[in-house]
Amino acid sequence: MTSRSSRATARPSSEGRAVARTQTLLKGDNGIGTVRRTVLPGGLRIVTETLPSVRSATFGIWAHVGSRDETPALNGATHYLEHLLFKGTRKRTALDISSAIDAVGGEMNAFTAKEYTCYYARVLDTDLPLAIDVVCDMLTGSLIREEDVDAERGVILEEIAMTEDDPGDCVHDLFAQTMYGDTPLGRPVLGTVDTINALGADRIRRFYKKHYDPTHLVVAAAGNVDHNKVVRQVRAAFEKAGALGRTDAEPIGPRGGARRIRTAGRVDLVGRKTEQAHVVLGMPGLARTDERRWALGVLNTALGGGMSSRLFQEVREKRGLAYSVYSYTSGFADSGLFGVYAGCRPSQVHDVLGICRAELDKVVAEGLTDEEIKRAVGQLSGSTVLGLEDTGAIMNRIGKSELCWGDQMSVDEMLGRIAAVTPDDVRAVAQDVLAQRPSLAVIGPLKEKQAARLDEAVA
């Protein structure tokens, strides 16, 4: 059980350094699950969750930059930079970076999204100082040399080609483009062949300098960790690199804005010689700060979140029209998406789309049954808890929460929000979201007459 606490303490250094501010955000029983935050002079935030019963620790650094921060010419720069930070620093080669973590049986990786980037390492608790040193070194001391940029360009082009070879993955990028158009949220995170070929070391260095300032970073650690030790080690690493910046700088806040998607009834078709047609039918969803997101989560789970969901039962179990069919939500700072995906034989694409559209309309008109809501609440609650059973997932939760919300929510609070969803809440959010006219993205070998009928699904 955890409870909220806002106790803050200022910790002056014995060496007369500027003061760091520390708060206990969530207080756990006997310290277990306690979440603390320290803001260093210079605006670097450090959050930890302590779990003394485990023998592992995950350390990550989150950067407040994603593909939506790119201009059209810089599309793909954030992901390109993610690769380059593994290529060597002033004190480590690329091999030194990977072998340091391999030598202790740890794992290290990174990922880039539309609104943030994360670098992390998971190790034994006794090896946490090594993980802190390596990851902090990557973030503060990367060289971004011309030869590394040129070498990694081929790797990224292969990654783009690999994605293009998977139409079930590619169709989600197409759907984002269908909904957002030629805007930062509509462009692919990986960039395109043209933009990657055009990016050089100088432009990427400028991008790095602009977006990897300490005020844009959140350090997160979870597992058998001591908050004060993590703070000291991180501070020492950043100070040694001369990377803390101005002592009076404050962290930037979560993203704001009020973007609205007005695309409706649009159909984008990419003809490709595949065995299946891959479709995403969807509409604008909710921003990640919208309080209705809990009800939408329950609705999404009941509609297309598992084997007992309506879409799975109607499309796969009863009619055998698809192997994979599901619904999903994506929430950004100022907008969101709701989509239904299915992969089916091209000859059956209209049958599948007709069933999916009918199920969406049925939920708008009638809502969900009490039994469906009860089952969805249980499924969503269980998956939420089971998804937080390792230190990596916990690090993701506290790091992303600090970066995107500027606050922490305990697991008990999340479960309480899910359990509080009522049939009226679900009916209201269904009418707000699912009643909108949808748009459609399709990849597959559709014939001319089939393509001409796609407008029926979004009418």
Side-chain angles (χ1 to χ4, degrees):
M1 180 71 70
T2 56
S3 59
R4 286 190 173 275
S5 174
S6 59
R7 181 174 60 86
T9 58
R11 296 185 177 275
S13 165
S14 59
E15 301 174 6
R17 293 182 296 178
V19 172
R21 306 188 305 273
T22 298
Q23 285 180 286
T24 299
L25 304 178
L26 298 172
K27 189 170 179 60
D29 293 336
N30 299 317
I32 299 173
T34 295
V35 179
R36 301 178 72 195
R37 176 210 289 140
T38 291
V39 181
L40 295 181
L44 182 67
R45 287 162 286 177
I46 303 169
V47 291
T48 67
E49 181 163 342
T50 304
L51 300 164
S53 61
V54 302
R55 284 300 313 275
S56 68
T58 301
F59 177 84
I61 300 182
W62 293 71
H64 196 279
V65 58
S67 60
R68 76 171 299 175
D69 298 296
E70 301 163 350
T71 63
L74 285 171
N75 183 213
T78 311
H79 175 254
Y80 209 145
L81 181 56
E82 175 213 309
H83 279 239
L84 291 170
L85 295 197
F86 286 85
K87 299 297 286 185
T89 70
R90 288 184 288 270
K91 70 177 187 178
R92 287 183 175 92
T93 65
L95 179 58
D96 291 336
I97 290 171
S98 57
S99 62
I101 302 299
D102 285 347
V104 297
E107 58 185 56
M108 182 170 60
N109 212 331
F111 57 86
T112 303
K114 290 185 182 289
E115 296 189 318
Y116 46 78
T117 311
C118 178
Y119 305 79
Y120 64 92
R122 183 169 181 253
V123 294
L124 294 176
D125 52 5
T126 52
D127 296 314
L128 180 59
L130 172 67
I132 292 174
D133 188 53
V134 171
V135 177
C136 288
D137 184 34
M138 288 170 50
L139 268 288
T140 62
S142 286
L143 299 174
I144 312 179
R145 296 169 297 196
E146 190 78 48
E147 57 265 35
D148 292 330
V149 173
D150 291 339
E152 203 63 22
R153 192 187 317 277
V155 174
I156 295 171
L157 292 175
E158 289 298 327
E159 190 174 355
I160 291 173
M162 182 176 66
T163 301
E164 290 291 329
D165 280 342
D166 184 355
D169 188 15
C170 219
V171 72
H172 294 288
D173 282 343
L174 180 62
F175 180 61
Q177 180 183 332
T178 301
M179 297 300 293
Y180 287 106
D182 187 22
T183 68
L185 284 177
R187 300 184 196 114
V189 171
L190 298 182
T192 66
V193 171
D194 289 341
T195 60
I196 295 304
N197 278 326
L199 284 171
D202 287 341
R203 299 178 78 180
I204 296 175
R205 286 192 206 102
R206 289 196 296 270
F207 192 81
Y208 170 59
K209 185 176 180 180
K210 177 180 179 181
H211 292 287
Y212 280 69
D213 179 273
T215 61
H216 290 65
L217 302 178
V218 169
V219 174
N224 190 15
V225 303
D226 179 283
H227 180 82
N228 292 331
K229 288 182 179 179
V230 171
V231 170
R232 286 196 298 269
Q233 290 161 2
V234 170
R235 184 169 186 168
F238 270 74
E239 286 183 336
K240 188 175 182 179
L244 278 184
R246 293 182 9 247
T247 58
D248 61 341
E250 290 294 326
I252 64 170
R255 293 178 188 269
R259 174 184 294 275
R260 292 183 62 84
I261 311 172
R262 294 186 172 85
T263 301
R266 179 172 171 176
V267 176
D268 279 343
L269 168 64
V270 174
R272 193 173 294 178
K273 293 182 179 180
T274 56
E275 293 298 318
Q276 286 188 311
H278 300 266
V279 304
V280 176
L281 178 72
M283 58 278 294
L286 302 177
R288 62 168 169 256
T289 55
D290 195 312
E291 285 301 313
R292 296 172 295 168
R293 69 187 185 276
W294 307 102
L296 184 61
V298 172
L299 172 60
N300 174 59
T301 301
L303 185 61
M307 294 177 64
S308 64
S309 67
R310 286 194 181 188
L311 289 172
F312 192 94
Q313 289 294 313
E314 292 296 327
V315 175
R316 175 170 163 166
E317 292 297 292
K318 292 182 180 180
R319 297 174 176 85
L321 294 176
Y323 175 77
S324 180
V325 56
Y326 59 85
S327 63
Y328 67 94
T329 64
S330 298
F332 305 113
D334 48 12
S335 61
L337 297 174
F338 181 91
V340 173
Y341 165 84
C344 63
R345 281 181 288 174
S347 61
Q348 296 175 328
V349 68
H350 293 293
D351 291 335
V352 170
L353 286 172
I355 295 167
C356 291
R357 183 67 191 272
E359 288 303 316
L360 295 179
D361 292 343
K362 186 176 179 181
V363 171
V364 171
E366 303 173 9
L368 299 174
T369 66
D370 290 347
E371 178 59 31
E372 285 178 308
I373 292 177
K374 181 180 178 181
R375 186 168 63 242
V377 166
Q379 181 181 343
L380 191 56
S381 299
S383 62
T384 297
V385 174
L386 293 177
L388 293 172
E389 287 290 288
D390 67 77
T391 60
I394 296 169
M395 185 282 293
N396 280 336
R397 175 173 62 84
I398 63 174
K400 184 177 177 181
S401 294
E402 177 64 33
L403 194 75
C404 296
W405 284 276
D407 194 11
Q408 299 289 331
M409 181 179 291
S410 71
V411 175
D412 287 339
E413 281 186 89
M414 288 190 285
L415 296 179
R417 296 290 187 92
I418 295 169
V421 171
T422 67
D424 286 342
D425 295 333
V426 173
R427 188 175 298 108
V429 80
Q431 292 172 350
D432 290 341
V433 175
L434 303 187
Q436 300 173 96
R437 187 181 177 190
S439 289
L440 175 65
V442 182
I443 294 178
L446 268 63
K447 297 178 181 178
E448 186 175 345
K449 288 184 178 180
Q450 291 176 303
R453 290 184 54 203
L454 291 176
D455 287 339
E456 297 173 8
V458 299

